């Protein structure tokens, strides 16, 4: 899932019980490790190694569907990646939240709710609880269940009042 196994790195997979595990990094980038900087430099030098087209040689032709495959192929890759992540880090709510998002994209709302239930039992931060409530609201919105959607949207809003939850609440109100 793009996380590092080195605790000194910015993208280390953390499950600390704090309000926002990345807050200190957002305002002051002196915390980037040398490994972080080397990874960034490497990523910008790499040419894609996978493609749906044989002998792809021009950078002008790189775009997500060509490199990553169809929407279904990308969803299956994400599903496999996040399932692997939850096997490796079974006590991190973030993996289950991400799995739920993939299931939503696949239209499997029941599996998404099941993964959010697991995430809820593991959540340790306000950010995680916000994402769980927000995603539950989105699922019920998509299932055309405005009462349940609003219930979870208000829970999310009580945790963090931001433009995303306010837009979702407005959308839910229009659904009624």
């Amino acid at each position: 899932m793009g996380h590092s196994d080195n605790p000194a790195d910015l993208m280390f997979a953390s499950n600390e019980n704090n309000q926002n595990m990345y807050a200190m990094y957002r305002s002051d980038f002196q915390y980037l490790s040398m490994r972080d900087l080397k990874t960034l430099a490497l990523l910008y030098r790499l040419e894609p190694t996978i493609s749906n087209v044989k002998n792809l040689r021009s950078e002008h032709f790189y775009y997500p569907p060509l490199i990553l495959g169809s929407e279904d192929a990308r969803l299956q890759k994400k599903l496999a990646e996040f399932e692997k992540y939850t096997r490796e880090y079974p006590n991190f709510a973030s993996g289950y939240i991400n799995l739920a998002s993939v299931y939503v994209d696949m239209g499997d709302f029941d599996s998404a709710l099941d993964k959010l239930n697991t995430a809820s039992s593991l959540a340790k931060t306000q950010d995680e609880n916000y994402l769980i409530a927000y995603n539950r609201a989105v699922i019920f919105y998509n299932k055309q269940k405005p009462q349940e959607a609003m219930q979870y949207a208000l829970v999310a809003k009580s945790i963090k009042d931001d433009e995303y939850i306010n837009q979702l609440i407005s959308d839910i109100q229009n659904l009624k």
Side-chain angles (χ1 to χ4, degrees):
M1 280 185 24
H3 288 285
S4 168
D5 58 359
N6 183 340
D9 294 341
L10 175 64
M11 290 304 296
F12 176 69
S14 176
N15 200 24
E16 296 174 7
N17 190 11
N18 56 21
Q19 289 294 319
N20 187 334
M21 64 182 123
Y22 297 116
M24 70 175 145
Y25 300 113
R26 289 192 178 128
S27 62
D28 187 358
F29 285 99
Q30 72 180 14
Y31 292 100
L32 289 173
S33 71
M34 184 52 68
R35 185 172 151 176
D36 289 325
L37 296 172
K38 287 179 180 179
T39 300
L40 285 170
L42 172 67
L43 289 173
Y44 277 99
R45 285 194 314 264
L46 290 178
E47 204 172 291
T49 58
I50 58 171
S51 170
N52 292 332
V53 177
K54 293 181 186 213
N55 301 320
L56 181 65
R57 297 284 182 244
S58 172
E59 68 182 49
H60 302 291
F61 296 120
Y62 299 152
Y63 62 99
L66 184 67
I67 302 301
L68 300 173
S70 68
E71 179 70 15
D72 288 340
R74 288 193 305 270
L75 288 172
Q76 289 303 317
K77 288 176 188 174
K78 280 182 173 180
L79 186 63
E81 180 181 352
F82 295 143
E83 285 176 339
K84 179 182 176 204
Y85 183 84
T86 57
R87 283 192 301 275
E88 291 178 12
Y89 302 99
N91 296 321
F92 283 17
S94 61
Y96 299 97
I97 294 168
N98 287 323
L99 262 176
S101 294
V102 174
Y103 281 121
V104 166
D105 290 345
M106 297 171 89
D108 185 351
F109 300 129
D110 292 333
S111 293
L113 287 170
D114 180 56
K115 296 305 176 188
L116 289 175
N117 289 339
T118 302
S120 184
S121 70
L122 299 169
K124 296 193 177 2
T125 69
Q126 290 293 82
D127 283 345
E128 290 169 338
N129 286 314
Y130 170 82
L131 288 171
I132 292 164
Y134 181 90
N135 284 309
R136 283 179 172 155
V138 168
I139 290 168
F140 285 110
Y141 173 82
N142 285 312
K143 290 178 83 166
Q144 301 289 302
K145 295 186 173 186
Q147 203 166 19
E148 291 92 336
M150 186 61 77
Q151 172 189 345
Y152 288 111
L154 293 174
V155 169
K157 185 177 175 82
S158 74
I159 297 169
K160 181 167 52 173
D161 188 358
D162 65 14
E163 64 185 271
Y164 302 107
I165 194 61
N166 289 321
Q167 182 60 54
L168 180 57
I169 289 171
S170 175
D171 292 345
I172 294 166
Q173 289 169 337
N174 290 334
L175 187 64
K176 293 179 179 181

